[in-house]
Amino acid sequence: TQVIQLEGVAKRYDSAGAPALGPLTLTVEQGEALAVTGPSGSGKSTLLNLVAGLDKPTEGVVTVAGRRIDRLSEHEGARFRREQIGMVFQFFNLLDDLTVEDNIQLPAQLTGVPRRKAATRAGELMDLLGISKHARAYPGRLSGGERQRVAVARALVNRPALLLADEPTGALDTASGHDVRELLTDLHRGGQTVVLVTHDLALAEACASRTIHLVDGQLAGDTRAQAVR
Ligand code: ADP
Ligand code: ADP
């Protein structure tokens, strides 16, 4: 099954000049962990935003989790994201006035999952990610690595078809970065489809089954790993 299909997709921010991305055609299969690498300005964020439905292409068709998303209204796009996409960011984007467990449950509650069920799912994810002892703590008291685990748990609580990670180790020290790397690798091993944008080639090498390289918005490389370690 294909989780992402980009067909002749291009994005222009202004009508003059070359597109910021594409035109490109790209398919990501269920269970792949795709790393998107490339220099600053090469179109990585643009690609991620198109796949998340946060932005629309100027040309082409974007299909994610079986749904064509390049024509959705803002409301439909927000709903699609809540149900199908989990996102983690460099700076965690947690809500500091909610406890860890409430942060994790929030996306489930926003999609109408009953409170008990949301709590159960959050509990399972906290166990899986080793953060149960922080359930009642506020994110501000946690280390960077722990906060990123909370962010990953929050991103997974609605069992998204796709986990998008934008420089998830970018704000972490080496040890915590290593932790998050292991975590993403474990998720991939467990069958989660992942798209990871990173400058960190070690991260890409460690947890991606496939790496694409963008240069000036064009696909300049597409490599599959021999096997995931
Ligand atoms: P990366 O994530 O690889 O750094 P981006 O996707 O952010 O690259 O940017 C690709 C190109 O598109 C760059 O030339 C950037 O300046 C341009 N760009 C990105 N976002 C916008 C925007 N909102 N408006 C105008 N130009 C943009
Ligand atoms: P709204 O539901 O208000 O439209 P947005 O989709 O605009 O929310 O997202 C608001 C913020 O949350 C943005 O920073 C966005 O990148 C982030 N975000 C969007 N979808 C997700 C998601 N599935 N998981 C985590 N963060 C998300």
Side-chain angles (χ1 to χ4, degrees):
T1 329
Q2 301 175 341
V3 176
I4 303 175
Q5 268 180 287
L6 305 182
E7 298 166 67
V9 166
K11 176 69 182 178
R12 291 171 187 276
Y13 292 102
D14 59 70
S15 46
L21 182 73
L24 70 85
T25 292
L26 177 74
T27 298
V28 178
E29 299 285 335
Q30 188 171 357
E32 277 193 310
L34 177 74
V36 181
T37 62
S40 182
S42 60
K44 304 185 293 298
S45 306
T46 300
L47 178 63
L48 207 67
N49 288 340
L50 292 176
V51 168
L54 288 164
D55 206 350
K56 293 193 168 68
T58 336
E59 292 166 34
V61 177
V62 180
T63 308
V64 176
R67 179 101 189 260
R68 184 165 172 186
I69 63 163
D70 52 275
R71 292 285 180 273
L72 299 182
S73 70
E74 204 158 308
H75 178 75
E76 291 169 327
R79 185 186 167 132
F80 162 81
R81 264 193 303 290
R82 280 201 297 271
E83 295 179 353
Q84 302 289 352
I85 309 279
M87 295 184 78
V88 296
F89 306 95
Q90 182 171 5
F91 294 108
F92 325 125
N93 294 24
L94 297 170
L95 297 171
D96 286 329
D97 54 355
L98 292 185
T99 63
V100 163
E101 69 185 344
D102 287 344
N103 264 282
I104 296 169
Q105 286 179 40
L106 188 62
Q109 285 173 5
L110 291 175
T111 52
V113 174
R115 203 181 167 83
R116 283 262 288 295
K117 198 166 172 189
T120 305
R121 282 195 202 170
E124 288 167 1
L125 283 164
M126 288 188 290
D127 282 345
L128 185 72
L129 303 188
I131 47 176
S132 299
K133 62 176 183 288
H134 301 302
R136 302 272 151 73
Y138 290 87
R141 312 252 329 254
L142 306 185
S143 71
E146 289 164 343
R147 279 188 237 185
Q148 198 58 297
R149 285 177 174 264
V150 176
V152 171
R154 179 185 58 179
L156 294 176
V157 76
N158 282 340
R159 301 178 176 155
L162 181 60
L163 178 67
L164 299 178
D166 193 355
E167 296 285 2
T169 61
L172 300 178
D173 60 39
T174 311
S176 309
H178 193 81
D179 250 26
V180 167
R181 199 196 289 183
E182 297 270 292
L183 171 55
L184 291 175
T185 308
D186 286 347
L187 292 173
H188 168 52
R189 283 206 194 98
Q192 176 70 51
T193 311
V194 179
V195 173
L196 164 72
V197 166
T198 186
H199 277 99
D200 182 350
L201 292 180
L203 176 66
E205 195 165 306
C207 50
S209 57
R210 179 180 174 196
T211 300
I212 62 171
H213 190 67
L214 295 178
V215 175
D216 294 335
Q218 298 292 322
L219 205 54
D222 186 348
T223 323
R224 270 167 231 275
Q226 308 288 68
V228 182
R229 291 180 300 136

